[in-house]
């Protein structure tokens, strides 16, 4: 017999990313956004116009106590997330929690959130949406199937700096594509805002707390990825994965993609057969497709007991690499081994 339950969803935070998280629930047929907590009345009023019948509350605790929700969605800034997750996990009706990335501002905070959800058997999902992206999955599977031979190295570039709020996206995406774990990070961060080189905006000013930089990460499969996200760079986001047989290059929305390869794998420094451009098509990708796929997977986890493909542990791993970049830069671009020593777990960042 089909499960005709409609899951009641509550959201904390209706500004910026929170608005998107609210709208993406419309693409999930067996769930409905029924409650919102936000301490700004204008945000609540706007949400009620967009979502008829929505209950609104001044605090997440008030919502948890009164709205009888099944799923808690957290769209606040990282520093506010730990107590919201704790209270959500302790609420009897809440079966799953979805938090925006990065998971928190410190590894100790992330660990506590993970343990709280385990204690109450609450599904805990971190919004690393590229794990639910059909196009990124196609790249991952193609590399696993040998399209570029043995992976050796790569490159990732993004604009607007912010090793924390942007890095969390792409550190995790590359962990996912390589199906591998970082073992060493070397980085130099830069939080200087030079308005002769960039426009003034809230994003630009955020670089003072969440810097840009350069770095190299080595993974446990010996692949090396170079990262570039300096404050004065504004070109399209770019990702390149290279191997002994070919390479795949694409931008963030896959409107540009090039796959070049040769027929035979080669380990020779000279005399290699030239690579030629090959056909490589990817499925459509949008933010709504990615996030709604994550929501649907979370409901599947509730109903079957399956583990989330973007669990709290996955979110913590991306945060650990962000912390490692800070530690390496603070130590004069010193290589940092991962996993990090326990002494680094309390280091608290200010990711906006």
């Amino acid at each position: 017999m089909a499960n005709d339950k409609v899951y009641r969803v509550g959201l904390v935070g209706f500004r910026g990313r929170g608005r998107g998280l609210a709208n993406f629930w419309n693409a999930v047929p067996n769930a409905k956004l029924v409650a919102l907590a936000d301490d700004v009345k204008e945000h609540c009023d706007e949400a009620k116009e967009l979502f008829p019948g929505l209950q609104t509350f001044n605090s997440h605790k008030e919502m948890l106590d009164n709205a009888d929700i099944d799923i808690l969605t957290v769209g606040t800034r990282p520093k506010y997330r730990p107590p919201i997750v704790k209270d959500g996990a302790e609420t009897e009706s809440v079966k799953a929690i979805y938090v925006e990335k990065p998971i928190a501002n410190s590894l100790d905070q992330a660990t506590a959130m993970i343990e709280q959800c385990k204690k109450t058997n609450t599904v805990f999902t971190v919004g690393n949406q590229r794990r639910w992206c059909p196009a990124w999955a196609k790249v991952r599977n193609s590399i696993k199937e040998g399209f570029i031979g043995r992976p050796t190295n790569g490159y990732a570039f993004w604009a607007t700096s912010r090793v924390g709020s942007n890095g969390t996206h792409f550190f995790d995406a590359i962990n996912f594509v390589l199906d591998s774990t970082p073992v060493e990070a070397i980085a130099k961060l830069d939080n200087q805002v030079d308005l002769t080189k960039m426009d003034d905006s809230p994003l630009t000013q955020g670089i003072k707390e969440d810097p840009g930089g350069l770095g190299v990460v080595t993974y446990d499969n010996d692949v090396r990825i170079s990262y570039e996200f300096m404050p004065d760079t504004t070109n399209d986001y770019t990702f390149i994965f290279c191997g002994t047989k070919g390479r795949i290059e694409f931008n963030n929305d896959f409107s540009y993609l090039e796959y070049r390869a040769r027929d035979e794998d080669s380990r020779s420094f000279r005399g290699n057969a030239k690579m030629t451009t090959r056909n490589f098509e990817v499925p459509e990708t949008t933010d709504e497709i990615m996030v709604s796929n994550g929501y649907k997977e979370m409901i599947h986890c509730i109903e079957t007991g399956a583990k989330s493909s973007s669990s709290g542990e996955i979110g913590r791993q991306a945060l650990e690499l962000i912390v490692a970049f800070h530690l390496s830069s603070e130590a004069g671009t010193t290589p940092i081994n991962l996993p990090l020593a326990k002494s680094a777990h309390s280091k608290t960042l200010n990711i906006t």
Side-chain angles (χ1 to χ4, degrees):
M1 183 175 178
N3 185 355
D4 57 359
K5 177 178 175 61
V6 175
Y7 289 87
R8 294 172 57 83
V9 179
L11 169 67
V12 184
F14 194 72
R15 62 198 84 180
R17 184 61 173 170
R19 285 179 168 83
L21 295 179
N23 287 320
F24 299 148
W25 277 111
N26 290 329
V28 183
N30 58 336
K32 182 178 181 180
L33 182 66
V34 298
L36 167 70
D38 195 298
D39 59 3
V40 177
K41 182 180 182 300
E42 290 77 11
H43 295 163
C44 291
D45 291 342
E46 178 187 351
K48 283 193 285 190
E49 290 185 9
L50 296 172
F51 298 91
L54 184 73
Q55 293 178 275
T56 59
F57 301 91
N58 188 57
S59 72
H60 75 274
K61 197 72 172 68
E62 185 183 2
M63 181 182 74
L64 290 170
D65 288 343
N66 294 282
D68 191 31
I69 60 171
D70 300 301
I71 298 172
L72 173 64
T73 312
V74 184
T76 66
R77 292 182 176 182
K79 65 181 179 180
Y80 301 117
R81 292 172 194 161
I84 297 171
V85 169
K86 178 179 183 296
D87 292 339
E90 292 175 349
T91 300
E92 186 175 355
S93 67
V94 173
K95 303 172 182 65
I97 300 174
Y98 180 105
V99 299
E100 189 48 43
K101 61 203 167 304
I103 183 174
N105 274 335
S106 78
L107 294 172
D108 278 343
Q109 290 173 352
T111 299
M113 294 158 75
I114 292 165
E115 293 304 316
Q116 286 154 359
C117 290
K118 283 183 177 178
K119 182 178 179 180
T120 56
N121 199 30
T122 304
V123 176
F124 187 32
T125 296
V126 180
N128 296 302
Q129 70 259 28
R130 285 162 184 80
R131 289 180 175 263
W132 307 302
C133 173
W136 278 88
K138 171 73 179 289
V139 173
R140 179 181 194 257
N141 293 336
S142 297
I143 291 175
K144 290 171 75 73
E145 292 167 12
F147 276 47
I148 64 171
R150 176 177 60 84
T152 55
N153 64 296
Y155 171 79
F157 161 79
W158 64 84
T160 69
S161 299
R162 300 183 299 158
V163 65
S165 55
N166 264 346
T168 188
H169 289 259
F170 305 118
F171 290 151
D172 178 73
I174 290 174
N175 291 349
F176 171 69
V177 166
L178 295 178
D179 193 18
S180 189
T181 302
V183 295
E184 183 186 80
I186 305 171
K188 180 179 180 181
L189 300 181
D190 182 354
N191 65 355
Q192 299 302 307
V193 173
D194 183 349
L195 296 181
T196 67
K197 297 180 179 178
M198 59 191 82
D199 292 334
D200 195 6
S201 72
L203 284 179
T204 302
Q205 294 301 324
I207 294 170
K208 294 176 182 177
E209 295 290 345
D210 196 4
L214 303 166
V216 178
V217 177
T218 303
Y219 294 79
D220 64 4
N221 59 1
D222 293 329
V223 175
R224 301 168 309 281
I225 301 291
S226 300
Y227 290 88
E228 181 177 357
F229 49 101
M230 291 295 285
D232 62 346
T233 49
T234 58
N235 291 322
D236 201 2
Y237 295 21
T238 303
F239 308 94
I240 304 173
F241 296 93
C242 302
T244 53
K245 186 178 176 182
R247 54 176 271 159
I248 299 173
E249 177 177 349
F250 55 93
N251 64 356
N252 194 38
D253 64 1
F254 289 88
S255 58
Y256 163 76
L257 185 148
E258 183 181 60
Y259 167 50
R260 293 174 58 80
R262 48 182 163 252
D263 292 334
E264 299 295 330
D265 186 86
S266 175
R267 291 167 174 79
S268 172
F269 291 115
R270 295 181 178 176
N272 289 333
K274 288 186 177 181
M275 292 188 291
T276 58
T277 301
R278 312 282 178 99
N279 183 54
F280 193 98
E281 296 182 358
V282 296
E284 179 187 8
T285 179
T286 66
D287 213 16
E288 180 181 82
I289 289 172
M290 291 187 280
V291 177
S292 63
N293 281 347
Y295 289 164
K296 293 170 187 175
E297 182 197 80
M298 182 167 54
I299 290 173
H300 175 74
C301 292
I302 293 172
E303 295 178 347
T304 67
K307 187 172 178 61
S308 170
S309 64
S310 187
S311 63
E313 290 85 353
I314 292 292
R316 187 185 183 282
Q317 188 178 75
L319 176 62
E320 187 170 36
L321 193 48
I322 296 167
V323 174
F325 267 51
H326 278 272
L327 293 174
S328 175
S329 185
E330 290 166 5
T333 320
T334 297
I336 300 294
N337 293 327
L338 293 110
L340 294 176
K342 189 171 179 60
S343 58
H345 293 186
S346 61
K347 182 176 179 60
T348 302
L349 306 177
N350 186 18
I351 304 173
T352 56

